[in-house]
Amino acid sequence: MISFRFYRNNLRVIQILSEAIDSLEYFSDELAALRRSDVLAVEWDLRHSIFPESNIDLQYSHALVELAERLASLARPYIAVHWRLEHVPVENLAWCAASLVSTLRSGLGLVWFATDYHTLSEQPSVVKTKSAKSGTFRAVTPEHEEAMNILQDAFQMGGDLEGYAMTELPSQIKKLRMFEGNVQLEEDVLKDSGVSGILDKLVSMQSQVFVSGSRACSKTSSSSKQIVDFRESVMRDKEIALDIRNVVELFGEW
């Protein structure tokens, strides 16, 4: 018989397997593997801590860390921009985009753009479709479109960032495959929004220059904090051989 213990934190309910299964002959082969599992998390959308005290040092998969290092090495030197648009007042967006363009004039030619905004991809039918980078960012407004147009136009001929290049994770993975071959992760894994967010965060940690939005222009996120904390630790520890030239530069400060 299976019994469950419930841990509640905020609105999250996680079911934890608490007793071993005495007999599994009535279950599938997949469930039979539970005999070897200490903990089973039934809920996958873990946006908040599920236990009162977090004393477990969880690390990302070695495959993800290695891939992020390869992506960073291929792109280097680059500026990483982490811009969370969700919940930003729409009346701020155009001004924020213009401020970001001004901030990016740092002399480094490649801008790695990490965002929760929907990305545009060309399909064989030459019809542009939107695919979400965030599972919670659904309300795309004309103001969001205008802000992205301001940013993209700056990289065009005659724009303020002419001669610079803007790239995103999918493009860099494709480039990595061209130069180095297999990336050791399946395509459906790489398309997962959570995996993409982790890779963007790890690559941003290693960027030469890191840029993020002020409170007026960007949603506060744990990812940005983790990036800043990591970069601060590298700046303090001179023994870490990583070319990091700033901790963070904020755009959109009044």
Side-chain angles (χ1 to χ4, degrees), residues 115-138:
T115 180
D116 56 354
Y117 182 76
H118 297 51
T119 185
L120 294 176
S121 59
E122 291 286 354
Q123 301 298 317
S125 61
V126 198
V127 175
K128 289 185 177 182
T129 60
K130 294 175 184 176
S131 57
K133 287 188 173 182
S134 168
T136 59
F137 186 12
R138 300 182 179 91

Side-chain angles (χ1 to χ4, degrees), residues 149-180:
N149 287 337
I150 291 171
L151 179 60
Q152 292 172 339
D153 288 348
F155 289 87
Q156 305 306 312
M157 185 175 297
D160 289 343
L161 297 175
E162 180 182 358
Y164 289 67
M166 183 169 64
T167 190
E168 293 181 289
L169 178 63
S171 298
Q172 291 303 112
I173 288 177
K174 185 181 296 185
K175 184 177 179 181
L176 185 67
R177 283 198 176 105
M178 290 174 55
F179 283 91
E180 298 186 14

Side-chain angles (χ1 to χ4, degrees), residues 162-220:
E162 180 182 358
Y164 289 67
M166 183 169 64
T167 190
E168 293 181 289
L169 178 63
S171 298
Q172 291 303 112
I173 288 177
K174 185 181 296 185
K175 184 177 179 181
L176 185 67
R177 283 198 176 105
M178 290 174 55
F179 283 91
E180 298 186 14
N182 186 22
V183 298
Q184 299 180 335
L185 286 172
E186 296 179 2
E187 192 65 29
D188 58 340
V189 174
L190 292 171
K191 289 181 178 179
D192 180 84
S193 61
V195 171
S196 298
I198 291 169
L199 289 172
D200 271 333
K201 176 167 61 176
L202 293 175
V203 170
S204 296
M205 287 177 174
Q206 302 175 60
S207 64
Q208 282 57 69
V209 175
F210 178 57
V211 174
S212 189
S214 67
R215 289 184 179 275
C217 287
S218 186
K219 173 185 176 182
T220 302

Side-chain angles (χ1 to χ4, degrees), residues 38-242:
D38 295 325
V39 178
L40 172 67
V42 178
E43 169 65 272
W44 63 271
D45 191 11
L46 304 180
R47 296 179 180 275
H48 305 283
S49 174
I50 63 174
F51 300 111
E53 295 182 6
S54 178
N55 56 6
I56 303 175
D57 183 21
L58 298 177
Q59 301 294 326
Y60 290 128
S61 160
H62 175 72
L64 289 177
V65 173
E66 181 184 41
L67 177 55
E69 290 175 349
R70 291 170 63 193
L71 288 166
S73 178
L74 183 65
R76 198 173 285 128
Y78 61 98
I79 307 168
V81 176
H82 192 256
W83 190 9
R84 299 291 302 274
L85 283 78
E86 186 181 13
H87 301 317
V88 175
V90 294
E91 61 270 19
N92 291 359
L93 290 171
W95 177 81
C96 292
S99 177
L100 174 57
V101 169
S102 178
T103 302
L104 289 177
R105 299 172 187 167
S106 69
L108 296 179
L110 182 64
V111 177
W112 185 295
F113 191 50
T115 180
D116 56 354
Y117 182 76
H118 297 51
T119 185
L120 294 176
S121 59
E122 291 286 354
Q123 301 298 317
S125 61
V126 198
V127 175
K128 289 185 177 182
T129 60
K130 294 175 184 176
S131 57
K133 287 188 173 182
S134 168
T136 59
F137 186 12
R138 300 182 179 91
V140 177
T141 69
E143 289 84 358
H144 290 103
E145 300 279 1
E146 180 188 8
M148 288 301 102
N149 287 337
I150 291 171
L151 179 60
Q152 292 172 339
D153 288 348
F155 289 87
Q156 305 306 312
M157 185 175 297
D160 289 343
L161 297 175
E162 180 182 358
Y164 289 67
M166 183 169 64
T167 190
E168 293 181 289
L169 178 63
S171 298
Q172 291 303 112
I173 288 177
K174 185 181 296 185
K175 184 177 179 181
L176 185 67
R177 283 198 176 105
M178 290 174 55
F179 283 91
E180 298 186 14
N182 186 22
V183 298
Q184 299 180 335
L185 286 172
E186 296 179 2
E187 192 65 29
D188 58 340
V189 174
L190 292 171
K191 289 181 178 179
D192 180 84
S193 61
V195 171
S196 298
I198 291 169
L199 289 172
D200 271 333
K201 176 167 61 176
L202 293 175
V203 170
S204 296
M205 287 177 174
Q206 302 175 60
S207 64
Q208 282 57 69
V209 175
F210 178 57
V211 174
S212 189
S214 67
R215 289 184 179 275
C217 287
S218 186
K219 173 185 176 182
T220 302
S221 76
S222 59
S223 291
S224 291
K225 184 180 185 306
Q226 290 169 17
I227 295 168
V228 169
D229 289 347
F230 174 82
R231 295 174 69 84
E232 283 181 339
S233 67
V234 171
M235 297 288 278
R236 287 194 303 266
D237 190 347
K238 301 303 182 182
E239 295 184 3
I240 299 178
L242 198 58

